[in-house]
Structure formats: structure tokens, C-alpha cells
Amino acid sequence: MKSERMIGARLVVTLVAVAACTSTPATAPVPVPARLTQFGEVIPLPVSMQLDTSRVFRVDTSTVVYINESADSAVLGVAKYLRTMLAPYVRQDVQRVASSSAIATKNIRLTIDPSSPNGDEGYALDISPEAIAIVAKSPAGLFYGVQTIRQLLPPSIENVGAVNRRLIIPAGRIVDSPRFTWRGMSLDVARHFLPPGDVKRFIDLLSLYKINRLHLHLSDDQGWRIEIKSRPALTAVGGLTQVGGAAGGFFTQDDYRDIVQYAASRFITVVPEIDMPAHSNAAMVSYPELTCDHIAPPVYTSVGAPRSAVMCVDSANIYPIIDDIVREISAMTPGPWYHIGGDEVPRLTRTQYLTFLERMQTIVNSHGKQMIGWADIAPANLSAMTIVQHWSTDSVQLHAARGGKVIMSPGPHAYLDMKYDSATILGLKWAGFITPRTVYDWDPGTYRAGVPESAVLGVEAPFWSETAVRPEDFEFLIFPRVIAMAEVGWTPQNLRAWSSFAPRLEFGRLRLKALGVNAGN
């Protein structure tokens, strides 16, 4: 949360020889189906899935992972990921074969087919007792097919030391592709800093659920988290603090590039955000020329936002600094997007604010990036290429009307920093209490009047870290709710139902436990 913000219908699955689970009222404990003692459940729910649990593919020491001899490095990376996941049973290196070659039984083959009808991120997965085949149009599709295999396996796949670890996968066919191209989570490392290793752990966890955008909130009033070589005071001064007054931290440019590259290996695109012109106290402490009187404001380490922390947008002095920031971050970010924040701006006139936004759009575009901003920016004279992110205000329909795209992140359904209930110690409550069902039960395609599904780029679950001090606190608030958002973004609306999702989520909790995640309610 920006701290000042109001401080299938039927499951398309055939399970041969296994009875369907009876749905359970939302208020009652949801039992884990008996069949899940051997197999897993898939989240997000695929578009089409037919499984026969009486026939299985068994991973053993004779299993080999194959790719075509012409496969590129991205496909090889997915195959190596799969091999590592299935270790120690799969012992041989990934093998290359001619595209027309038959392979021996007990093997897994990953194939790129440019003519695949399942879209850029879709895949077809065929499993028999003799072999597994994943076919996709892109390496991303292969990776998502691998994640589906992972979820069909029991939780013991997550721990090579598990007792009686048996890796068996039910036979069947799955054909799958996402509803939305944008399936994201934003991670606030500005209020409380997370070192690179912890960010990578979140990347691994998010990729399991086919999330493909990581929106990094890299600056706010309480801290600045990314090295800008041409403006070293941003980290030398602004990087020292965080909420509560403890020492902060920041990513060096090498750290940031490593995070971006690691995310790309999991088919997640990093979207950097530097919030302006408000939520800028740490920047203004570092460079007083961002203020109108050229006097540094007091350091701010409380929850909330100082109303004085707004850049002097009428001053020509601020724009060379802003341009340096956008230029350096854009050069380190292969993805096409740059998020300017732009929300909750007190003390500026409407003209001052809108003029600043239009100038920011020009700066961002000049460095080859597509601008994103929170819904507050929609009244500006924006290009249809700019993206507006809905959170609370009613202005996003203005951008949809000009042909622009909208990311849906409505506070009452998407904000993972809200409390689960009145007894939750961590979290805030301005958007209400948010349970996994609250995250699940809404339709992004019909949520906002004047924003048709054709204007919805996708969904994103924001996480703001005011109350999350330790990595375990981040995990507690993010999981399992982000899993519900993953299915909102991937699965067609007509296939989604809480009665189907609830038992799968209960099994998902077992997997999170096996992964050592401190999941919440």
C-alpha cells in the first residue's frame, strides 16, 4: 500500500477411478482430497485437463530429459531446471536429439513448435506411463508446462531429503494458456529492505504459480534502494534508513542486474518503480535541489507519508536528476516498462501535477521505455501506449476510453499488505480485511465500469512493507493470498469457482510448508 492511501463454474478435469471431492462451505475447514497423498494439485487451474490416476509416469534413475538439437539456450535452461527439480533420480545431463528422432521410454521431451495454437505462454502436456512430452510456442510455455509437472508431483518433490520420496505423475493431457498477459506482484523494498537473496527466493516462489511480472518498488519516503552512479547521494544518504529507524540498504547496480537476470531465467520481467513527485522524501534528503527552497527535509522513518515530500515540479533543477535516474535504471532493465508511481500527490495544483506527468512521459519514452503509473495519472494527456494501474481512484476509465491498457490492482481484493482478519498482528486495514477468498472472488474483466476486458492488460497484487520487518513477515502476508491472484490472472473466468479452488489451495499450503514458507491464514 502507498502508506497514505486511506492509512471450472465447473472444473474441467476428468479423474478416472477417483471420485470428485464434495465442496465445503467457506466457513468450514476444507479437507485435502485423499488422492493428494500421492499426487499434487495444479494452481492456476489449466484451461483443459484430463487425468487418469490409475496410470502413472514414474520418475526413476533411467529417466532422461531431451530437447531438440536446434533448441536455443532458453530451452536448454528450462530443461536443466527440470532436470535439477527431478534430481537425484534424473542423473544424466540434458540430451539433444534430432527433431524427428524417436526417444526411448521413461523419458521427458521438451519441444518448441512455432505453430502451436496455445499462444506465446501456453503449452500442451501429454503424460503416459512411457513418456512425457511438453510442446509450446516459446520457452516460457515450456517453463509453465514444467511448473505444472512440478505441481502434479507430491510435496516431497520440494525436498530431496524427504522420507519415502516417490515421484509419480498421473497420466493424461493438459492444454493450457493464460487469460491475461500481465500476472504480477509488486514488492516494496523501500519501506523495509530485502537483500537480493530474499528477492530471488520470492522470484522462485512466484514462478511456481506462473506469475510473470515482478514490480519492484525501489524508492519511497523512508528509503532509496537502487544505486545511481551519476547521483551517488541517493544511496549514500537515502539508502541508510527504513521504517522504524533501523539501518536500510540498497541494491548495487550489479545486484539489480543479477536480480533482473535471475527473474528472466524464471520468465519473470522486472518492472522498476521510482515514485515521483510525491513519496520522494528519501530522494529530497539526498538532493535538496529537488525541493523548492533547496533545504533538505527531515529524514522520515515512520509509517505513512509526510505531506511535504513532494518535488518542486516547477523548478528546472529537478529534471536533470530525474533524467539521470530514468536513464540509468532503463539501461539496466531489459524489460520495456518503467513505473513512475505518480500517486497521492498533495500540495500541487492540477495544472502542476498534470504538466509534470506529461513531462515524465516524455523522459521515460526518450529512454526507450513504456511508462506505467498509478490510476491517479489517468487525467493527464497520456499516450495510449502508457499503462495505468488501478488501485482505488475512479479515473482509469479515462485511459481505457483513449485506447490505453489498465492493470487491475483493486485495494479491496489485491492488496496483500492488508490484515487477514481483526486478530492478524501484521498488516494494515484501510482496504478491509482480505482473505484468500477475497482475493479470489472478483472478475478483472467486469470490475470497473468503463473498463472492458479488452482494455485490461492483467492483474497485479501489490505488497507494501510498512509492517513487514523480517522476510518471514513478507511471506506471512504474501502467501497464500498471491496464489489466489495467480489463478485470477491465468484461468478463464468461467472455469473459476471457490468450491474448486479451496481444496486445491489447502493442498497448496502443504507444498508451501514443504518449501519452508511462513504462510499466513
Side-chain angles (χ1 to χ4, degrees), residues 276-277 311 313 318-319 322 340 342 348 351-361:
M276 297 179 181
M311 293 178 176
V313 298
I318 76 169
Y319 293 100
I322 291 173
I340 68 158
L348 294 184
T351 298
Q352 285 176 313
Y353 176 58
L354 299 183
T355 300
F356 173 81
L357 294 175
E358 291 157 18
R359 187 160 184 175
M360 281 300 303
Q361 182 175 248

Side-chain angles (χ1 to χ4, degrees), residues 41-101:
E41 281 283 19
V42 182
I43 301 174
L45 181 69
V47 172
S48 174
M49 179 164 66
Q50 297 84 37
L51 299 178
D52 179 355
T53 58
S54 68
R55 303 168 59 243
V56 301
F57 179 91
R58 191 178 305 274
V59 179
D60 59 32
T61 55
S62 67
T63 303
V64 180
V65 176
Y66 286 91
I67 59 175
N68 289 348
E69 59 185 2
S70 60
D72 63 17
S73 59
V75 173
L76 178 61
V78 175
K80 288 183 174 180
Y81 177 96
L82 173 60
R83 176 184 174 273
T84 299
M85 184 181 84
L86 298 176
Y89 293 102
V90 176
R91 297 175 179 175
Q92 292 190 48
D93 289 337
V94 173
Q95 302 294 306
R96 291 182 180 269
V97 293
S99 58
S100 59
S101 298

Side-chain angles (χ1 to χ4, degrees), residues 390-391 408-413 441-451 456:
H390 168 70
W391 67 277
M408 299 302 294
S409 301
H413 292 283
D441 275 346
W442 67 292
D443 181 358
T446 61
Y447 188 76
R448 296 301 308 173
V451 184
V456 177

